[in-house]
């Protein structure tokens, strides 16, 4: 659980907790937790620079959304999530510390630099001081801004998503639409074609603009994939619980309603650079402008990966940037900072949060689930998870710890949605992770979707 215990703050680091001493100035802080950040931090860790990575809401970054990475040297094929987990493990083994926090503000006009962060599930901000920074905050996917997409009446997380690898399995045997015509759209559609009954692709132009020809050919050969060119998505409709249809408009045929269970958006992205607009030079699209190597317009601040790259946006180029920035930062520190700073000694190995495997009951059938709910005379918290879902992995240790603390007060169950498909359908689970809280009479009293809301719910339960 992300909590303040000591004078300044105790930060939760994946499964670990450590205390950040007051007014410590870090030699280098990495902002972001994707491929670029992981590579930078590995180099910095190996150089004994004691790096801290503020990994934001999406540890591992965008690559975790790829079920099949086939262009990472040395791996014929690897899941993005597995690759980033291996990189994170390697970084940790080299002394890198990860914070489950997001950056809310920076001040690069002062030395040392000031970085304001707060826990990914909210709470009050606190400051981190750094002599150098490496920015690796990637890009954010675009939205269509059409009725039914997001907002209170939208179906975001309940049938509208931008991540086939995260949510695709929930559409087994169903009809889905992919919106977009680039590489991401082709990849998402290919993945979904192995799961869904039908995949329709809405392409705004009269052709696909994907560059990976082999993938395009594979897609065109799929019997359950239909491509509608010159077609826009106008509206997403549903029954209040799920998506049921979409309204599309084609150049020739006018608008029409098509029954649909899921909408996958694959329509590009924006650099996550708004925080830096007052501090660094950005280009017209918001990408951070580089001066020399990975150096930004401020000395000692480096930027890497997709946030500086409007063109290539590849894992390997992000990693390459990461390595270069780490070496530049290392040089900067040894040229200008050494002597001013006494490098912090590495802290004692972080302490594991106590876990109590076995207290969260794994549900294997509908009957077992009904029995557990019916027989409970306390609240029951049910965690719907999947093995391929990154945030679910972050919920799991906290759930174990809460189960131990709340023994006798709350019963904890977990449901693997791929193994208990009927159960997740019954409860309309459309996004991962989802937690349901049942009262003593077996009625649902709360539903939380996503890492932050679930962690907050667990915290509330512990404080009751
Ligand atoms: C579906 C899909 C499939 C892909 N497949 C491939 C492939 O097969 N091969 C390939 O080479 N590339 C692939 N890519 C592209 C690749 O994923 C990206 O190029 C790469 O992830 C960029 O890495 P990055 O570290 O720059 O940014 P990202 O991976 O986007 O990471 C950004 C990081 O910044 C963090 N962050 C954001 N805001 C904040 C904040 N305020 N505070 C703290 N942290 C923050 C996020 O939590 C995240 O950890 C794919 C992309 C997608 C979407």
């Amino acid at each position: 659980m992300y909590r303040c215990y000591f004078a300044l703050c105790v930060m939760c680091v994946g499964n670990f907790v450590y205390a950040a001493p007051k007014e410590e100035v870090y030699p280098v802080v990495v902002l972001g937790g994707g491929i670029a950040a992981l590579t930078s931090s590995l180099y910095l860790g190996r150089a004994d620079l004691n790096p801290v990575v503020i990994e934001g809401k999406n540890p591992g970054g965008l690559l975790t959304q790829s079920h099949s990475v086939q262009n990472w040297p040395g791996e014929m094929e690897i899941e993005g999530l597995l690759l980033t987990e291996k990189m994170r493990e390697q970084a940790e083994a080299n002394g890198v510390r990860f914070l489950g926090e997001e950056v809310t503000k920076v001040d690069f006009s002062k030395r040392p630099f000031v970085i304001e962060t707060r826990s990914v599930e909210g709470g009050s901000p606190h400051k981190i001081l750094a002599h150098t920074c490496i920015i690796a905050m990637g890009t954010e996917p675009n939205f269509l801004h059409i009725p039914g997409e997001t907002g209170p009446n939208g179906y975001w997380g309940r049938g509208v998503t931008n991540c086939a690898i995260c949510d695709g399995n929930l559409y087994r045997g169903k009809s889905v639409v992919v919106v977009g015509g680039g590489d991401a759209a082709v990849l998402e559609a290919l993945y979904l074609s192995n799961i869904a009954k039908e995949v329709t692709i809405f392409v705004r132009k009269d052709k696909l603009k994907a560059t990976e020809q082999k993938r395009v050919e594979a897609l065109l050969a799929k019997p359950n994939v239909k491509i509608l060119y010159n077609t826009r998505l106008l509206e997403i409709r549903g029954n209040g619980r799920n998506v049921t249809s979409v309204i599309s408009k084609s150049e020739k045929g006018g608008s029409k309603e098509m029954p649909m269970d899921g909408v996958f958006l694959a329509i590009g992205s924006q650099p996550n650079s708004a925080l830096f607009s007052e501090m660094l030079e950005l280009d017209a699209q918001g990408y951070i402008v580089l001066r020399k190597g990975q150096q930004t317009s401020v000395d000692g601040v480096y930027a890497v990966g997709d946030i500086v790259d409007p063109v290539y946006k590849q894992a390997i180029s992000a990693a390459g940037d990461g390595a270069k920035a780490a070496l530049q930062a290392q040089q900067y520190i040894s040229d200008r900072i050494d002597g001013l700073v006494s490098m912090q000694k590495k802290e004692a190995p972080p302490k594991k949060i106590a876990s109590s495997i076995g207290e969260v009951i794994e549900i294997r059938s509908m009957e077992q689930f009904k029995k557990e709910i019916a027989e409970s005379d306390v609240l029951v918290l049910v965690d719907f998870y999947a093995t391929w879902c990154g945030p679910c992995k972050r919920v799991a240790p906290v759930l174990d710890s809460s189960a131990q603390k709340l023994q006798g007060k709350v019963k904890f169950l977990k449901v693997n949605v791929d193994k208990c498909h009927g159960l997740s359908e019954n409860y309309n689970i459309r996004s991962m992770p989802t937690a349901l809280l049942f009262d003593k009479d077996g009625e649902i009293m709360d539903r939380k979707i996503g890492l932050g809301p679930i962690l907050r719910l667990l915290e509330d339960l512990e404080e009751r």
Side-chain angles (χ1 to χ4, degrees):
M1 195 69 55
Y2 304 79
R3 283 241 176 88
C4 286
Y5 293 116
F6 303 113
L8 180 60
C9 197
V10 169
M11 295 157 182
C12 184
V13 185
N15 289 348
F16 306 115
V17 183
Y18 76 91
K22 218 171 179 177
E23 293 302 299
E24 182 175 7
V25 183
Y26 292 95
V28 52
V29 170
V30 182
L31 283 51
I35 287 280
L38 291 167
T39 310
S40 273
S41 68
L42 170 66
Y43 274 70
L44 297 165
R46 292 179 61 75
D48 247 9
L49 284 172
N50 203 15
V52 170
V53 175
I54 303 166
E55 58 186 347
K57 288 185 180 146
N58 186 12
L62 277 188
L63 204 67
T64 58
Q65 295 183 16
S66 176
H67 63 286
S68 165
V69 179
Q70 297 179 22
N71 55 4
W72 185 260
E75 300 279 358
M76 287 300 283
E77 181 174 17
I78 185 165
E79 271 186 46
L81 181 61
L82 180 61
L83 176 61
T84 57
E85 278 180 354
K86 283 169 76 173
M87 291 176 77
R88 199 176 187 282
E89 223 171 90
Q90 189 183 9
E92 268 178 346
N94 281 280
V96 178
R97 292 169 298 166
F98 289 87
L99 304 188
E101 309 234 326
E102 63 182 333
V103 179
T104 52
K105 202 173 166 188
V106 294
D107 188 348
F108 296 146
S109 65
K110 292 187 188 132
R111 308 249 164 183
F113 302 131
V114 183
I115 304 154
E116 270 187 35
T117 72
R118 65 158 182 245
S119 156
V120 288
E121 74 268 23
S124 42
H126 65 271
K127 288 179 181 167
I128 294 176
L129 305 180
H131 290 292
T132 60
C133 281
I134 296 180
I135 300 168
M137 282 167 33
T139 52
E140 202 60 49
N142 289 335
F143 290 100
L144 293 166
H145 305 290
I146 55 168
E149 186 187 40
T150 55
N153 299 321
Y155 288 91
W156 183 249
R158 295 184 298 152
V160 184
T161 175
N162 63 357
C163 179
I165 184 70
C166 311
D167 298 333
N169 264 13
L170 303 170
Y171 298 88
R172 193 165 290 283
K174 299 194 170 181
S175 300
V176 297
V177 62
V178 173
V179 183
D183 285 311
V186 169
L187 198 75
E188 300 266 292
L190 258 180
Y191 181 70
L192 289 165
S193 67
N194 295 325
I195 299 168
K197 183 177 69 181
E198 270 181 337
V199 180
T200 307
I201 310 175
F202 290 172
V203 182
R204 204 156 46 99
K205 299 271 173 63
D206 58 1
K207 56 177 185 271
L208 290 169
K209 61 176 190 316
T211 54
E212 284 263 2
Q213 267 318 306
K214 279 195 171 166
R215 279 183 181 154
V216 172
E217 281 160 25
L219 184 71
L220 295 175
K222 293 276 180 175
N224 61 339
V225 172
K226 187 166 62 178
I227 306 184
L228 301 182
Y229 293 102
N230 299 309
T231 302
R232 288 167 187 266
L233 178 60
L234 290 188
E235 188 180 338
I236 299 159
R237 290 186 176 170
N239 55 14
R241 274 163 60 89
N242 305 321
V243 169
T244 52
S245 67
V246 295
I247 311 285
S248 66
K249 187 174 187 318
S250 72
E251 246 170 41
K252 288 182 189 144
S255 62
K256 71 170 180 182
E257 184 163 4
M258 298 166 71
M260 205 61 74
D261 302 298
V263 177
F264 289 79
L265 303 177
I267 49 170
S269 51
Q270 299 296 325
N272 277 322
S273 60
L275 280 179
F276 311 109
S277 61
E278 306 284 306
M279 297 283 151
L280 300 177
E281 189 188 344
L282 308 181
D283 73 8
Q285 295 168 274
Y287 290 91
I288 296 176
V289 172
L290 298 178
R291 293 279 163 86
K292 190 174 166 219
Q294 304 307 130
Q295 166 78 58
T296 66
S297 51
V298 172
D299 238 21
V301 178
Y302 306 89
V304 293
D306 283 6
I307 199 166
V308 299
D309 179 3
V311 182
Y312 302 107
K313 291 199 173 74
Q314 289 297 294
I316 193 67
S317 48
D321 283 358
K324 285 187 278 180
L327 295 172
Q328 281 187 275
Q330 201 178 329
Q331 190 63 51
Y332 179 90
I333 289 166
S334 79
D335 286 352
R336 296 171 219 197
I337 311 287
D338 277 351
L340 296 175
V341 191
S342 57
M343 292 289 174
Q344 293 100 26
K345 285 203 182 94
K346 288 210 171 125
E347 290 175 17
K351 210 175 126 208
K352 274 207 165 191
I353 287 177
S355 72
S356 56
I357 296 152
E359 287 180 8
V360 180
I361 301 164
E362 177 87 52
I363 294 297
R364 303 195 185 280
S365 67
M366 182 77 85
E367 291 63 40
Q368 182 200 0
F369 180 79
K370 284 183 181 160
K371 192 161 170 277
E372 291 290 354
I373 296 276
E375 285 178 355
S376 179
D377 51 5
V378 294
L379 300 179
V380 184
L381 187 129
V382 189
D383 171 39
F384 288 87
Y385 76 99
T387 50
W388 35 263
C389 150
C392 300
K393 293 190 179 168
R394 305 225 3 229
V395 169
V398 185
L399 206 69
D400 283 335
S401 154
S402 295
Q404 195 182 47
K405 289 182 197 152
L406 291 167
Q407 239 172 353
K409 292 186 191 153
V410 180
K411 183 191 270 193
F412 286 80
L413 309 179
K414 59 181 175 184
V415 177
N416 180 333
V417 293
D418 291 325
K419 292 196 174 148
C420 297
H421 207 63
L423 201 50
S424 51
E425 278 295 298
N426 245 15
Y427 288 100
N428 192 30
I429 305 302
R430 289 280 171 268
S431 194
M432 221 58 64
T434 293
L436 299 183
L437 186 66
F438 290 80
D439 66 15
K440 293 173 191 167
D441 301 320
E443 298 294 329
I444 296 178
M445 54 187 286
D446 206 349
R447 170 187 282 260
K448 293 284 183 254
I449 300 171
L451 175 67
I454 293 174
L455 295 184
R456 264 197 299 281
L457 173 64
L458 292 172
E459 204 166 36
D460 286 350
L461 287 170
E462 285 181 24
E463 279 165 7
R464 272 182 199 187

